[in-house]
Amino acid sequence: NAGVTQTPKFQVLKTGQSMTLQCAQDMNHNSMYWYRQDPGMGLRLIYYSASEGTTDKGEVPNGYNVSRLNKREFSLRLESAAPSQTSVYFCASSGHESKGSEAFFGQGTRLTVV
Amino acid sequence: AQSVTQLGSHVSVSEGALVLLRCNYSSSVPPYLFWYVQYPNQGLQLLLKYTSAATLVKGINGFEAEFKKSETSFHLTKPSAHMSDAAEYFCAVKNQAGTALIFGKGTTLSVSS
């Protein structure tokens, strides 16, 4: 059972380049999320999708776009990467049948923008 | 708006000592609270969660947390630390709509022999 799978695991970009981070879950969850983790900042929500076809901004959406391709997949796109976007990115999913449902996380993508 | 504050960015204990990681929350509605653990270069793993069923919640690896409404706290404890407990720990609360988790800044636990 794979859970939440993120690709790639590592990436180095030059300033101004674009890229898409991929995420897929096999737990039939409705909700999916993208977080970024920076030292001393915890995890901050970039975007989330409560169901297929819907997306909403989180705490730090600037510079990012997302696509909920289908129920399984939720991608994060950086159109023009900046050094401030150097971070570790985590995708997560949860069933939102109840507010008490927890999120399941992928292994992360470590992105460096030079 | 919902938020969590983790007191102490770094906690150090000796092997066999009590582990206490502090978390205080702010919530305008009855909260749903979570503790996650992150080992180096890995994703986050759920330790335990509070969903109003019981105030003392037991989780994996011998951890437990007690919900105290009067103190707006959800502190994580373990009676006896093990070297393998060294990791970063995050407290989180569901947002008001129940659609996403809001995380604290994390506490790094070091365990010495």
Side-chain angles (χ1 to χ4, degrees):
Chain A
N1 190 355
V4 179
T5 302
Q6 293 182 233
T7 55
K9 288 185 169 49
F10 301 93
Q11 184 71 48
V12 178
L13 289 179
K14 293 182 178 179
T15 297
Q17 286 186 319
S18 63
M19 79 160 295
T20 300
L21 281 64
Q22 306 286 353
C23 175
Q25 53 92 8
D26 62 2
M27 295 173 283
N28 200 36
H29 285 164
N30 288 315
S31 299
M32 297 186 73
Y33 315 89
W34 277 105
Y35 287 89
R36 61 177 288 173
Q37 182 180 21
D38 303 289
M41 301 294 290
L43 279 80
R44 292 180 292 170
L45 184 64
I46 304 171
Y47 271 93
Y48 67 97
S49 170
S51 63
E52 185 178 353
T54 68
T55 60
D56 288 286
K57 295 179 180 179
E59 182 185 358
V60 289
N62 291 344
Y64 305 96
N65 287 301
V66 290
S67 295
R68 183 74 183 267
L69 305 171
N70 48 55
K71 191 170 186 179
R72 290 187 65 248
E73 299 172 289
F74 188 39
S75 62
L76 178 71
R77 183 162 178 82
L78 287 70
E79 291 291 351
S80 179
S84 61
Q85 294 178 304
T86 293
S87 187
V88 182
Y89 291 85
F90 287 99
C91 178
S93 70
S94 71
H96 70 84
E97 294 76 16
S98 75
K99 291 185 178 182
S101 56
E102 66 267 31
F104 294 81
F105 285 80
Q107 293 296 296
T109 295
R110 189 173 297 273
L111 175 68
T112 302
V113 183
V114 297
Chain B
Q2 271 71 350
S3 67
V4 291
T5 301
Q6 293 183 242
L7 301 175
S9 59
H10 199 136
V11 171
S12 297
V13 300
S14 299
E15 194 171 22
L18 171 71
V19 175
L20 171 60
L21 304 182
R22 300 177 186 273
C23 174
N24 287 89
Y25 70 89
S26 172
S27 178
S28 56
V29 298
Y32 292 90
L33 295 159
F34 305 78
W35 275 100
Y36 281 83
V37 61
Q38 183 183 31
Y39 299 103
N41 299 315
Q42 294 190 24
L44 278 72
Q45 178 183 2
L46 181 71
L47 276 176
L48 49 81
K49 64 180 182 181
Y50 168 75
T51 58
S52 78
T55 57
L56 183 62
V57 182
K58 294 188 184 298
I60 62 172
N61 301 337
F63 284 93
E64 63 182 35
E66 186 173 8
F67 173 73
K68 292 187 176 181
K69 184 177 180 180
S70 61
E71 299 177 7
T72 62
S73 68
F74 190 56
H75 301 332
L76 182 71
T77 60
K78 182 174 180 177
S80 178
H82 192 273
M83 296 293 284
S84 61
D85 294 327
E88 190 160 19
Y89 292 79
F90 293 95
C91 182
V93 64
K94 269 289 180 76
N95 64 359
Q96 188 166 349
T99 53
L101 286 170
I102 299 168
F103 284 86
K105 295 187 187 308
T107 298
T108 300
L109 175 66
S110 300
V111 183
S112 58
S113 57

